[in-house]
């Protein structure tokens, strides 16, 4: 069933330039909002003594750190978007654009194997998928993915400030700044280009129930979801 012309899996030409221009501010807005949601969710998890913060490996030496940051901020997002927004989303589009965006985002979120960051990754992934399809270019989602990765690096750097009082102020201030930038940009866009933001969601040839039956009766899907769920459970750490 899943067949798609290879030349259409890697769309590059930007068809909706006004929407493309607000891609970065928009992902900053959703990253900021999702970060605040993540904070409250993490607070709930801490109440039941679930460890929500993972130590991030940072190599020693300036040269090693520069190479590490290039890999994390540029190379990994590029490869990830090619695998998700190009291959997976484009293959699933024959079941409907909305279905493709949701399923791709769900899989991406599950593959983090981290219950605390699931909602954050799921929401931002939906935004990436929408902008990729609405602008018609994978370049849009790659730039947005690089932006959100850089956002995460900055958040981590602020959290690692030795003075915890300063860190406690710097992190939410940075989030609020990103939200403010996004809201201003989107407000201006809606005022001047309200006809460029909508996207007709095509249901294609299967109803929602039929799509769910196809997914739930697929052995590969069942095995994959089960393995992801098991790995996620093993990654949950409780504080003693």
């Amino acid at each position: 069933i899943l067949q798609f012309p290879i030349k259409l899996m890697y769309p590059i030409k930007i068809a909706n330039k006004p929407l493309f221009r607000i891609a970065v501010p928009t992902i900053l807005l959703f990253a900021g909002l999702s970060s605040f949601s993540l904070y409250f969710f993490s607070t709930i998890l801490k109440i039941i003594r679930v460890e929500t913060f993972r130590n991030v490996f940072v190599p020693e030496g300036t040269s090693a750190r520069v190479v590490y940051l290039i890999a994390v901020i540029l190379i990994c997002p590029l490869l990830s978007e090619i695998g998700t927004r190009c291959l997976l989303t484009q293959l699933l589009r024959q079941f409907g654009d909305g279905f493709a965006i949701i399923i791709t985002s769900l899989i991406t979120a599950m593959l983090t194997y981290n219950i605390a960051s699931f909602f954050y990754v799921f929401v931002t992934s939906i935004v990436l998928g929408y902008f990729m399809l609405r602008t018609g270019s994978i370049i849009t989602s790659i730039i947005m993915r690089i932006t959100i990765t850089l956002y995460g690096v900055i958040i981590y750097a602020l959290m690692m400030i030795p003075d915890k009082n300063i860190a406690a102020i710097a992190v939410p201030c940075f989030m609020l700044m990103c939200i403010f930038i996004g809201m201003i940009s989107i407000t201006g866009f809606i005022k001047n280009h309200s006809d460029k933001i909508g996207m007709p969601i095509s249901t294609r040839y299967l109803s929602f129930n039929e799509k769910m039956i196809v997914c739930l009766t697929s052995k590969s899907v069942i095995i994959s979801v089960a393995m992801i769920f098991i790995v996620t459970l093993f990654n949950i750490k409780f504080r003693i």
Side-chain angles (χ1 to χ4, degrees):
I1 297 177
L2 296 178
Q3 297 179 357
F4 207 82
I6 296 297
K7 64 180 181 179
L8 296 180
M9 283 190 177
Y10 305 95
I12 297 177
K13 185 178 180 180
I14 299 172
N16 189 339
K17 292 183 178 180
L19 189 63
F20 173 77
R21 295 189 189 101
I22 67 163
V24 170
T26 300
I27 198 60
L28 287 177
L29 168 64
F30 280 92
L33 292 174
S34 298
S35 294
F36 277 110
S37 299
L38 175 61
Y39 171 78
F40 290 111
F41 183 53
S42 297
T43 302
I44 296 174
L45 291 177
K46 287 179 180 178
I47 294 175
I48 59 176
R49 306 188 72 80
V50 173
E51 189 64 50
T52 58
F53 182 77
R54 294 181 177 181
N55 291 326
V56 178
F57 169 75
V58 179
E60 298 290 337
T62 304
S63 299
R65 290 184 178 182
V66 170
V67 173
Y68 175 77
L69 287 175
I70 291 175
V72 170
I73 297 175
L74 297 177
I75 299 177
C76 290
L78 174 63
L79 296 177
S80 178
E81 287 306 299
I82 290 176
T84 54
R85 244 60 63 178
C86 282
L87 297 177
L88 187 56
T89 301
Q90 295 290 50
L91 283 171
L92 291 173
R93 286 189 69 187
Q94 59 188 305
F95 295 106
D97 291 340
F99 182 81
I101 293 174
I102 295 296
I103 296 301
T104 301
S105 301
L106 185 62
I107 293 174
T108 303
M110 289 193 297
L111 288 175
T112 61
Y113 304 123
N114 187 346
I115 189 174
S117 61
F118 178 88
F119 178 76
Y120 174 85
V121 176
F122 180 69
V123 171
T124 54
S125 184
I126 288 178
V127 178
L128 290 175
Y130 173 84
F131 269 75
M132 190 274 284
L133 294 184
R134 190 65 183 89
T135 62
S137 176
I138 186 62
I139 294 176
T140 307
S141 64
I142 290 175
I143 292 176
M144 295 175 78
R145 182 64 177 274
I146 291 174
T147 300
I148 199 171
T149 304
L150 181 59
Y151 169 90
V153 170
I154 294 175
I155 289 290
Y156 178 77
L158 293 176
M159 292 174 62
M160 292 298 103
I161 294 177
D163 190 329
K164 297 304 178 183
N165 292 326
I166 295 178
I169 297 175
V171 172
C173 284
F174 178 70
M175 293 179 183
L176 288 173
M177 181 185 72
C178 292
I179 292 173
F180 179 77
I181 292 173
M183 290 182 65
I184 294 298
S185 299
I186 291 177
T187 301
F189 176 83
I190 293 176
K191 181 179 180 180
N192 299 311
H193 303 283
S194 59
D195 60 321
K196 298 289 185 179
I197 198 169
M199 181 179 75
I201 302 298
S202 176
T203 58
R204 302 299 166 94
Y205 58 87
L206 291 178
S207 66
F208 179 79
N209 292 336
E210 291 172 326
K211 295 171 187 175
M212 290 297 100
I213 292 175
V214 170
C215 291
L216 296 177
T217 56
S218 170
K219 292 182 180 179
S220 58
V221 171
I222 295 173
I223 293 173
S224 298
V225 172
M227 291 301 296
I228 291 172
F229 180 74
I230 292 171
V231 173
T232 302
L233 288 179
F234 277 106
N235 273 274
I236 297 176
K237 296 180 180 180
F238 292 89
R239 293 180 297 165
I240 301 175

